[in-house]
Amino acid sequence: IPVVEVKDVTHVYVNEKGATLALDQIALSVRSGEFVSLVGPSGCGKTTLLSIIAGLIPPTEGEVSILGQPVTGPTSKIGYMLQQDFLFPWRSIRENVTIGLEIMGKLTREKKEFALHLLEELGLGQSAAKYPGELSGGMRQRAALARTLATEPDILFLDEPFSSLDFQTKLQLENLISHTLKARRKTSLLVTHDIAEAIAMSDRVIVLAPNPGRIKSEITIPAYLA
Ligand code: ADP
Ligand code: ADP
């Protein structure tokens, strides 16, 4: 079974200005271990689609399931890496990475070691005792990724994770992060307006167009380009 399955999702926003068809008959699935990107210009429905898959808003029509279970509300099966890192400024990087597990009451010795291992894998082994304010933007994003991976989500959502970074840092992170996620066979869904970023990181790119939000094409990236 696919990790994510979106079946004929249509979404209409209604407000005082009228109705907007934000998504029109979207169907897609993400297989286990696959890295898929959703790419398209502002207004094509990326945020709406992610919010629907995440169970934050119910679609006007259609269905979403994660690992075969219908999505009816927010789920802990998803881990997030967002544009902002949301690290706690008064906690060390090490504490930031384990805090999610601690809150969930799942912080065993084994998980703590796994979390530290993730920090090393992401090049932050030397920075574990530092505080977020002492790190660069790229390092903080890597710490945020380590934190979400430490909770072992079934799928990772990356929503414009690099949009606040400079170009060089962004290229480095695209590389490091796609290799880390591929090595771990982590099922991932990236949302971006940057087609180059999508191609560099994904196994498959789904292109959306606006007014109304529709899937325009799908590109499978050959493994020899990875
Ligand atoms: P992005 O392009 O980065 O996804 P947007 O600027 O399109 O962000 O939207 C930012 C926020 O404003 C989102 O939470 C979205 O739901 C909301 N939003 C976007 N368009 C409208 C609109 N026409 N009316 C009300 N809220 C909107
Ligand atoms: P993207 O993330 O690709 O920029 P969105 O999902 O934010 O696209 O928006 C898709 C369409 O839905 C746009 O036309 C946007 O203006 C509209 N929209 C988004 N959020 C709202 C909202 N809360 N109310 C009304 N219209 C919205």
Side-chain angles (χ1 to χ4, degrees):
I1 53 167
V3 178
V4 175
E5 185 151 39
V6 175
K7 285 189 203 155
D8 297 326
V9 162
T10 290
H11 196 74
V12 182
Y13 287 106
V14 181
N15 61 23
E16 61 282 358
K17 286 185 235 149
T20 307
L21 181 55
L23 295 173
D24 186 28
Q25 296 274 321
I26 302 290
L28 63 90
S29 61
V30 183
R31 291 185 295 276
S32 179
E34 200 181 15
F35 192 121
V36 173
S37 291
L38 292 172
V39 60
S42 192
C44 70
K46 302 184 294 294
T47 307
T48 305
L49 184 53
L50 268 200
S51 306
I52 288 172
I53 298 172
L56 303 176
I57 51 176
T60 309
E61 274 175 43
E63 273 172 43
V64 175
S65 45
I66 294 184
L67 293 166
Q69 304 219 313
V71 170
T72 54
T75 161
S76 61
K77 292 175 181 148
I78 302 171
Y80 295 89
M81 181 178 183
L82 308 171
Q83 181 179 345
Q84 253 189 295
D85 57 59
F86 296 106
L87 295 172
F88 295 105
W90 314 118
R91 303 273 181 172
S92 69
I93 295 303
R94 183 192 294 116
E95 289 168 325
N96 264 286
V97 171
T98 52
I99 205 162
L101 289 162
E102 208 173 320
I103 290 166
M104 289 154 93
K106 289 187 187 165
L107 188 58
T108 58
R109 179 175 194 87
E110 210 180 11
K111 300 256 170 154
K112 209 167 190 165
E113 273 166 21
F114 176 55
L116 291 177
H117 182 81
L118 285 167
L119 279 177
E120 270 169 25
E121 216 173 292
L122 290 164
L124 293 171
Q126 307 298 313
S127 311
K130 293 193 172 160
Y131 285 77
E134 300 177 87
L135 303 189
S136 69
M139 290 166 101
R140 286 200 301 270
Q141 282 302 71
R142 283 184 269 149
L145 178 62
R147 177 176 58 184
T148 194
L149 290 179
T151 65
E152 299 181 275
D154 292 307
I155 180 165
L156 181 68
F157 277 15
L158 304 109
D159 189 357
E160 303 271 5
F162 309 131
S163 49
S164 64
L165 303 177
D166 66 79
F167 188 68
Q168 284 305 326
T169 307
K170 182 174 114 90
L171 291 186
Q172 282 168 6
L173 280 206
E174 281 174 10
N175 215 310
L176 174 70
I177 289 176
S178 68
H179 280 95
T180 303
L181 297 177
K182 266 165 209 165
R184 300 197 153 273
R185 293 197 39 80
K186 198 83 220 163
T187 310
S188 307
L189 186 60
L190 168 72
V191 163
T192 179
H193 58 269
D194 182 345
I195 183 83
E197 177 182 313
I199 289 172
M201 298 190 71
S202 318
D203 301 314
R204 191 153 57 90
V205 179
I206 296 173
V207 182
L208 297 165
N211 307 311
R214 276 189 186 145
I215 294 180
K216 279 294 158 184
S217 55
E218 215 176 287
I219 311 160
T220 300
I221 311 299
Y224 57 79
L225 287 180

